[in-house]
Amino acid sequence: MGTLPLVFRLHGSTPDLVREVLLERGWEEYDEHAHEKGDWNLYWRVSTFRCSDFNCIQPWQRLNHHPKTAGLTRKDWLERNLRRMKGIFGGVLYGFSPTAFLLPNNYTNFLAEFTKQRRDSPSGLWICKPVDLSRGRGIFIFEDIKDLTYDSPVVVQRYISDPLLISGYKFDLRLYVCVKSFHPLTVYIHQEGLVRFATEKYSLASLGNLFAHLTNTSINKLGPCYGFEKEQVGWGCKWTMSKFRSFLQSQGINELLLWQRINNIVTLTLLTIASSVPYVANCIELFGFDILIDANLKPWLLEVNCSPSLAMDCAADVTVKKSLLHDLIDLMSYREVDRLRCRGYPRPQCGLSSLRGHWPSQGARLSMSSLRMSGSEGPPICCGCTAPGPCKRVHVSRGSRLNFSLQLPSIEGTELMGLPEASFENRNLSSHRSLKPPVRHVSLCFRKLPTIRPQKCRCAAASADGRLKDNWEPPCRVGDFILTFPFNEVTLKASQNKLEIKIAIQEVHKVLHWLMPPCVHNMKKQRADGTNGGAEKDSFQTLFWGPRNPPLRSECCFPR
Ligand code: ADP
């Protein structure tokens, strides 16, 4: 018998690609008739989870959503959160989303702004979007307030009327952002992404032409020009981000600055809700950030999508989404012990709400000091096995410091609970049911419960000259996911215990300031001189997200 497969559980509307990728990796699909309840490693839903799903999470399981992230993914809540942060931290940092109003509630404020803008610039345009719809449904652009009609809550937003165009076509960027953990905040952005084009040439003379003004694929694939070769854009309506990078280079655009500005938008947006997301271990989430770049190369945040589309419409989708999902699964950091599921872990009673915060979280180490052995203080916790007769498993419960040796029984059929990870990692799990561990003493004082960390940090491989250490937490690169927060020692510290939002934001500001011309020029000069502008070396090294071959931040000599 081979190694036990990992098991995935899909909710009804999950895209086929998820199943395809997981099967390709040798996973098995959960079948409620064949598997026991809880006998799965990943539960994937397009919609959010119920509280009970979060409450009963087990150490070998992962969920593909964090709780309470609608503050980002609902248009109206996002607007409210960004407005609040703008009020606290100012429009210089938080001026990346177009001015917006929630109607009907803020109608008076909107009217005041509309009138003011009309005075300053008579040709101001607005876009109206229903808050509870997606994929471009119900959206229209208007100039005159008499054209504004709505019969459900809407966001009315200033229309960015001077977008950067490629051969006359409007486009936006779909970025894939993985929040590996909110506590501590740990964010990765995928190097690949999609560029989504409108399929008719942009013109302010035709505001009603959605094929020219909206970049949603769901709209443009129904357009008359979708199937034609379009100047420079080509067939269809999508490019990969790599192709866009080549385009930027061909135009001599300051790529590093543009990517960093986009990166900062992602960080600053996530910081708006980071402290209010409740901590639940083992959740990870992929968000889709939509960014529009204007003619002055300023990036704007349009919206954040929960469950970004994994549909396969064209070659660009195939190139991007499949490897994105593989990298996402790598970020979930399954370990050999996870394959054993409840057979491999000490299992606390169901109804784990009290355990939240004690089980290993993404990137967090859980010391055994929070665990308690049965027979010592406190009641033992049953492992939850269904075997008849007395439970032969080693029981571990929470509560007191462990610093002793544990004698493991050598009985046919006994399943291992609470072994150090290392003893699983090198174990051939070919037949878990007949494991016959020799009687031996295992010191549990060094035991670390599994965390959601990649087993192997691929960032080391990314560096030809070995400048990157491979024992960082969190790793700076997993596949094409690049760690974007924390990005230096200060932000690492600021996110470790209680998130210090102000400090994090100051650091974001510093990076941007440093990249602005003429600093970029100074930076290049300093690099050429071999000086670092008085910057202290950060021992926590990260890569710059964005460029094809991301440079180390230390190479860019940030002053501290
Ligand atoms: P949906 O959730 O329906 O996709 P979006 O906010 O993403 O709503 O808007 C759909 C499309 O409309 C975007 O992809 C973009 O092309 C265009 N768009 C949205 N807001 C603006 C804006 N403020 N300025 C210019 N174009 C916009």
Side-chain angles (χ1 to χ4, degrees):
M1 202 207 288
T3 305
L4 275 181
L6 289 157
V7 174
F8 64 92
R9 180 179 167 191
L10 303 184
H11 187 246
S13 54
T14 305
D16 291 342
L17 182 66
V18 178
R19 176 179 284 111
E20 191 186 319
V21 164
L22 291 167
L23 290 175
E24 208 172 279
R25 295 173 72 102
W27 287 52
E28 184 178 292
E29 184 157 4
Y30 177 77
D31 174 349
E32 58 185 0
H33 303 298
H35 291 93
E36 280 185 35
K37 198 168 169 241
D39 198 15
W40 46 265
N41 297 98
L42 169 64
Y43 186 5
W44 188 288
R45 284 178 75 105
V46 170
S47 54
T48 52
F49 287 99
R50 295 158 301 190
C51 279
S52 56
D53 295 321
F54 289 120
N55 283 348
C56 279
I57 185 92
Q58 305 286 356
W60 59 91
Q61 299 175 334
R62 315 284 189 263
L63 302 179
N64 73 320
H65 294 291
H66 293 281
K68 300 209 165 141
T69 53
L72 287 184
T73 55
R74 266 190 59 153
K75 292 183 176 71
D76 48 348
W77 293 6
L78 175 66
E79 162 52 24
R80 239 178 252 146
N81 281 323
L82 291 174
R83 188 178 281 257
R84 177 174 50 83
M85 294 299 267
K86 206 174 192 172
I88 303 171
F89 297 103
V92 173
L93 277 167
Y94 274 90
F96 54 78
S97 80
T99 308
F101 298 89
L102 308 178
L103 303 188
N105 290 359
N106 297 339
Y107 188 79
T108 320
N109 294 347
F110 168 62
L111 198 60
E113 181 67 21
F114 180 86
T115 315
K116 183 172 158 276
Q117 288 218 0
R118 256 283 155 96
R119 235 184 6 246
D120 302 345
S121 132
S123 58
L125 295 174
W126 296 84
I127 183 166
C128 177
K129 319 183 207 180
V131 296
D132 51 358
L133 292 182
S134 58
R135 292 180 273 133
R137 288 172 296 173
I139 295 185
F140 62 93
I141 300 154
F142 65 96
E143 188 172 6
D144 196 325
I145 204 159
K146 73 171 170 24
D147 297 327
L148 171 61
T149 54
Y150 50 90
D151 51 17
S152 64
V154 291
V155 172
V156 169
Q157 200 173 56
R158 196 170 74 71
Y159 188 64
I160 308 299
S161 54
D162 58 342
L164 183 66
L165 303 176
I166 297 181
S167 291
Y169 293 94
K170 178 175 171 178
F171 65 91
D172 72 2
L173 309 182
R174 162 61 55 88
L175 254 55
Y176 296 101
V177 176
C178 173
V179 178
K180 188 170 172 186
S181 146
F182 272 101
H183 307 283
L185 183 62
T186 313
V187 183
Y188 288 82
I189 309 185
H190 207 258
Q191 284 285 81
E192 263 308 350
L194 290 168
V195 182
R196 306 173 316 162
F197 287 90
T199 43
E200 292 192 21
K201 291 218 175 186
Y202 188 74
S203 159
L204 290 177
S206 58
L207 293 182
N209 183 357
L210 299 184
F211 302 124
H213 287 273
L214 304 193
T215 50
N216 302 80
T217 307
S218 47
I219 289 184
N220 282 287
K221 70 180 181 192
L222 304 176
C225 303
Y226 180 78
F228 295 145
E229 276 293 319
K230 293 170 285 296
E231 188 186 342
Q232 208 169 356
V233 172
W235 180 92
C237 66
K238 280 184 199 165
W239 277 7
T240 62
M241 201 68 94
S242 306
K243 188 163 177 185
F244 182 59
R245 274 190 200 103
S246 307
F247 166 80
L248 291 177
Q249 277 157 15
S250 71
Q251 303 295 305
I253 288 171
N254 179 351
E255 246 202 290
L256 202 55
L257 177 61
L258 176 66
W259 294 128
Q260 187 58 37
R261 289 175 91 171
I262 294 174
N263 182 359
N264 284 3
I265 289 178
V266 172
T267 307
L268 293 169
T269 305
L270 291 170
L271 286 173
T272 63
I273 63 152
S275 312
S276 61
V277 175
Y279 170 65
V280 180
N282 293 12
C283 298
I284 188 164
E285 186 148 6
L286 183 71
F287 293 102
F289 275 64
D290 292 347
I291 305 280
L292 183 79
I293 303 171
D294 72 17
N296 299 315
L297 294 179
K298 174 177 164 125
W300 296 87
L301 176 70
L302 295 184
E303 73 159 344
V304 182
N305 294 273
C306 144
S307 294
S309 163
L310 293 173
M312 296 293 210
D313 288 321
C314 58
D317 280 340
V318 177
T319 311
V320 171
K321 292 177 183 174
K322 207 164 185 191
S323 67
L324 169 80
L325 270 187
H326 275 292
D327 291 343
L328 185 70
I329 306 298
D330 283 345
L331 258 180
M332 292 181 183
S333 318
Y334 287 96
R335 313 169 75 89
E336 283 303 300
V337 67
D338 293 320
R339 295 177 185 277
L340 294 170
R341 293 179 283 282
C342 60
R343 296 175 285 272
Y345 285 84
R347 188 160 136 206
Q349 283 153 336
C350 198
L352 284 180
S353 49
S354 62
L355 264 181
R356 278 184 292 156
H358 295 278
W359 284 101
S361 66
Q362 299 95 319
R365 283 167 193 252
L366 177 67
S367 81
M368 281 299 277
S369 60
S370 60
L371 296 175
R372 180 187 291 170
M373 284 299 293
S374 67
S376 68
E377 303 161 58
I381 285 180
C382 177
C383 60
C385 65
T386 50
C391 176
K392 297 175 209 143
R393 293 175 187 170
V394 179
H395 296 176
V396 179
S397 62
R398 287 185 300 132
S400 67
R401 182 168 291 279
L402 279 178
N403 194 355
F404 55 87
S405 295
L406 163 70
Q407 194 178 39
L408 292 169
S410 176
I411 305 167
E412 177 93 38
T414 296
E415 289 153 1
L416 297 177
M417 310 285 289
L419 273 181
E421 287 166 19
S423 43
F424 283 98
E425 271 161 16
N426 299 326
R427 188 182 295 276
N428 177 358
L429 296 172
S430 58
S431 177
H432 72 285
R433 296 214 172 268
S434 60
L435 282 176
K436 290 183 188 170
V439 173
R440 62 199 169 117
H441 287 81
V442 181
S443 172
L444 285 183
C445 54
F446 302 115
R447 184 183 182 278
K448 196 176 59 157
L449 285 172
T451 57
I452 300 188
R453 283 182 294 117
Q455 291 176 15
K456 188 163 170 262
C457 174
R458 285 198 250 162
C459 59
S463 162
D465 57 11
R467 286 168 302 175
L468 296 175
K469 297 178 204 158
D470 63 358
N471 56 352
W472 293 344
E473 279 187 71
C476 63
R477 176 173 201 148
V478 174
D480 276 337
F481 272 114
I482 305 284
L483 178 73
T484 58
F485 193 92
F487 54 84
N488 60 11
E489 242 168 57
V490 180
T491 47
L492 181 69
K493 282 198 190 113
S495 60
Q496 256 161 4
N497 297 315
K498 189 174 168 292
L499 178 63
E500 307 264 9
I501 294 187
K502 200 169 162 192
I503 295 177
I505 287 179
Q506 278 166 358
E507 289 302 303
V508 168
H509 186 56
K510 273 192 210 166
V511 177
L512 195 61
H513 177 75
W514 184 242
L515 281 174
M516 290 289 200
C519 293
V520 175
H521 175 75
N522 292 342
M523 190 167 84
K524 281 186 190 147
K525 187 170 167 296
Q526 282 162 6
R527 247 194 285 178
D529 296 349
T531 62
N532 71 358
E536 281 174 48
K537 266 249 174 321
D538 240 330
S539 60
F540 179 70
Q541 282 276 38
T542 45
L543 296 162
F544 255 111
W545 172 78
R548 193 187 301 272
N549 299 310
L552 281 169
R553 282 169 183 270
S554 63
E555 283 183 339
C556 299
C557 314
F558 291 109
R560 302 184 77 196

